[in-house]
Amino acid sequence: GVYTCKSCGGELVCDESTAATACPFCGNPIVLTGRLSGDLKPDYVIPFKLDKKAAEAALRNHMKGKRLLPNLFRSENRISEVKGVYVPFWLFDGEAEGSANYMATTTRVFRHGDTEITETSFYEVQRAGTLPFSRVPVDASRKMPDDYMDSIEPFDYAGLKPFSTAYLPGFFADKFDVSIEESSSRADKRCRQSLSDALQGTARNGRPYTSVTPTGEDIHLKRTGVHYALLPVWMLNTRWNGKNYMFAMNGQTGRMVGDLPVDRKRFWGLFAAVVAPMTAVLTALLYFL
């Protein structure tokens, strides 16, 4: 069915056997509002490889040693609320073709009598080439921060399977709400940058240039296909002092990201505990002087 969170508006698709307890985005209760329809069916899925215990252990390790963390985040009850979510992604196929110009330099330092001379030579370098790309991922959910999803990449596409609802029981599946057209600009940017980096990487061509500076490039993209896939993410969203803090872990590889707050009361309490003994010692020293 399709579950909609009345608080944040997040929509998730899940198997009927999945208990809908709380929204993984904001923690509020979610309610059943509809049924799975044909246009929601993905082409592919990467099944969860790491279970909930692995996600909980990673979250505990992420918080380890952080003495200023609020107690709410350390709570075992809170840690146990980490949820497995299949996040929707568009996977883009295509090819990038282009050329680039660079200004390269070599520097030689030598002495002429008592004078040190620096000789700089300039070279114009040109490079051109093509770069095919396959399954460039762009998350298709507005609720999932793009920087978080980029940070837990890459996924191992060797684990990509034709979609089946058999993978859904026990997990949520976020419903896509970002179109292919909206996502394409992010995919195009990544493909352009990949070709740009590849061309610049060959600009030295084995020569001992001191520097290589781009002076212009012309890159064209051709898209040959787009696929819709669900990729596994363990996540926990905690709201504290009016701000959301998210933990996310790649459910296949274990790569993770998460920001954590500092409890100012705990900070000043610790500060006072350290300063008070120092003040007492200083007072004693002054007294005996």
Side-chain angles (χ1 to χ4, degrees):
V2 179
Y3 289 80
T4 300
C5 175
K6 291 183 177 180
S7 176
C8 70
E11 292 185 298
L12 302 106
V13 181
C14 65
D15 186 85
E16 290 182 5
S17 64
T18 301
T21 55
C23 174
F25 303 119
C26 68
N28 285 317
I30 49 181
V31 296
L32 179 64
T33 61
R35 292 292 173 185
L36 184 65
S37 57
D39 61 345
L40 296 178
K41 185 179 180 180
D43 301 310
Y44 300 105
V45 61
I46 292 181
F48 276 85
K49 187 175 181 180
L50 300 174
D51 61 14
K52 185 173 182 178
K53 288 184 178 179
E56 291 175 350
L59 184 52
R60 289 190 196 95
N61 188 61
H62 183 54
M63 297 185 297
K64 191 175 181 180
K66 296 177 174 60
R67 299 177 63 185
L68 301 180
L69 192 65
N71 289 330
L72 171 64
F73 288 77
R74 299 180 185 277
S75 167
E76 281 297 313
N77 288 337
R78 187 60 187 155
I79 291 174
S80 67
E81 291 180 11
V82 64
K83 292 179 174 60
V85 180
Y86 280 111
V87 178
F89 277 77
W90 298 116
L91 308 181
F92 293 86
D93 297 337
E95 183 179 82
E97 177 183 10
S99 60
N101 298 324
Y102 308 92
M103 180 62 69
T105 65
T106 58
T107 302
R108 183 170 70 97
V109 179
F110 61 94
R111 300 193 67 85
H112 183 72
D114 295 333
T115 305
E116 184 178 87
I117 299 174
T118 300
E119 178 186 83
T120 302
S121 301
F122 295 85
Y123 304 87
E124 184 178 348
V125 180
Q126 295 180 330
R127 287 290 181 268
T130 60
L131 182 67
F133 54 88
S134 176
R135 297 169 180 166
V136 176
V138 177
D139 68 276
S141 170
R142 298 189 194 281
K143 291 295 179 184
M144 304 301 290
D146 293 340
D147 54 346
Y148 273 62
M149 294 301 97
D150 291 346
S151 296
I152 64 172
E153 291 179 18
F155 289 88
D156 181 4
Y157 288 148
L160 208 62
K161 308 290 185 182
F163 177 75
S164 168
T165 56
Y167 298 111
L168 287 182
F171 300 101
F172 293 100
D174 190 8
K175 177 184 175 183
F176 79 85
D177 56 4
V178 181
S179 68
I180 293 175
E181 290 71 23
E182 291 177 276
S183 301
S184 62
S185 60
R186 285 188 62 211
D188 290 350
K189 182 178 180 180
R190 296 179 73 167
C191 296
R192 288 179 186 276
Q193 190 62 51
S194 295
L195 179 57
S196 179
D197 292 344
L199 292 175
Q200 186 163 353
T202 66
R204 293 183 181 274
N205 198 27
R207 298 195 178 188
Y209 292 133
T210 304
S211 67
V212 176
T213 305
T215 57
E217 64 181 19
D218 183 24
I219 295 177
H220 304 279
L221 301 176
K222 179 174 67 175
R223 188 174 303 126
T224 58
V226 183
H227 313 283
Y228 175 35
L230 295 182
L231 307 184
V233 179
W234 285 104
M235 60 179 292
L236 177 64
N237 197 310
T238 303
R239 190 166 182 82
W240 187 76
N241 278 1
K243 183 178 178 182
N244 285 331
Y245 295 88
M246 180 184 288
F247 162 82
M249 186 181 87
N250 188 313
Q252 180 195 36
T253 68
R255 189 178 178 92
M256 56 159 291
V257 62
D259 55 347
L260 295 171
V262 170
D263 188 336
R264 294 295 175 185
K265 292 181 180 179
R266 187 183 292 271
F267 170 80
W268 289 113
L270 183 62
F271 179 79
V274 172
V275 170
M278 293 177 61
T279 303
V281 171
L282 181 60
T283 303
L285 288 173
L286 290 174
Y287 176 78
F288 285 109
L289 288 175

